[in-house]
Amino acid sequence: MGRSGERQDMRIAVLDIGGTSIKSGIFMGDTLAGQKEHPTNAAEGSEYVMQRAKNILREMLREYGALDGIGISTAGQVDFEKGSISYANSNIPGYTGTKVRDIMEAEFGIPAAVENDVNAAALGEARYGAGRGMKDFICLTYGTGVGGAIVMNGDLYRGSSFSAGEMGALIVHPEDRDAGADMYSGCYEKYASVTGLVRKAMAIDAFLDSGRKIFAELARKEVKKAVDEWIDEITCGLVSLIHIFNPTGVILGGGVMAQEYVLKQVRKRVAENIMETYRHVSIVNAGLGNEAGMFGAAYLLKQRLQC
């Protein structure tokens, strides 16, 4: 038996459903194994994506035999109590309202747990990654957009409609705000995301259409200036969030955060811009990388089975 009397031979299928790919694995004990990645083909719409997820799970059943449950980390805002998608953007057409948990439980006859991908990643980091030992932390991921999650007293804070942590919607440039045209206009996500960095870099050189290409050209004066301006945008949001939440730590995720220059500069600039009584905050990279959401989804399923 493991922690809290849980079975160590428990087998949990985990999926991380994103707009680009569906990652999968099998969680046994505290170990994730059999990781695979499949194209989502999200443009085909919600029904197609659900069928694709079911096909992946069927493959896992054939490979591993009986499963104890299914943990799902997914894009979109999730009603955690119902296991359904309360809101999703057009990246997966028709995904809003999809009853993901009901669909999976009806298909496979085993319990399922469903959570927003960033919330799941924060829980994964809290239990198995960089958040271990942190009582309170905020988790942000920087990619196409900016996602956020809040952990208080070791537990996820979801908010009154399960939507807390929408940190990408923090207004940082009110002069650019036009909510009627774009609810994210003037918001943190527009400037601090990798999308924002690429937009800035491509104004210099159209070749610089990815984070990888940008950091390969960091020695170019004009490219470094664009990166530094982007890091200032990241810092601006973090300073506000740290002053609001006063967390023990801040966990930064997303592939771009693996760049040593970025983390070093973020730490330096945040320290220069926060009140002295907040400077104990620890700013660290996510420890579980792109697998954090699957770890968190497995943990949630374990919690459900123990209820």
Side-chain angles (χ1 to χ4, degrees), residues 211-272:
R212 185 176 291 105
K213 290 180 180 178
I214 292 166
F215 283 95
E217 298 291 324
L218 194 59
R220 290 170 57 181
K221 183 178 179 180
E222 67 276 21
V223 174
K224 184 175 181 297
K225 182 175 184 292
V227 169
D228 283 339
E229 290 174 351
W230 169 71
I231 292 173
D232 281 338
E233 297 287 358
I234 292 174
T235 302
C236 178
L238 287 180
V239 167
S240 295
L241 292 168
I242 290 167
H243 282 146
I244 292 168
F245 290 103
N246 190 25
T248 303
V250 177
I251 297 176
L252 305 180
V256 72
M257 288 300 160
Q259 295 289 335
E260 184 179 350
Y261 180 75
V262 177
L263 183 62
K264 181 179 178 180
Q265 288 297 314
V266 166
R267 284 172 169 164
K268 176 178 180 293
R269 298 180 200 192
V270 167
E272 292 170 348

Side-chain angles (χ1 to χ4, degrees), residues 133-153:
M134 290 186 189
K135 184 179 178 182
D136 308 287
F137 67 84
I138 55 176
C139 181
L140 295 97
T141 59
Y142 298 83
T144 304
V146 175
I150 305 158
V151 171
M152 294 181 173
N153 295 317

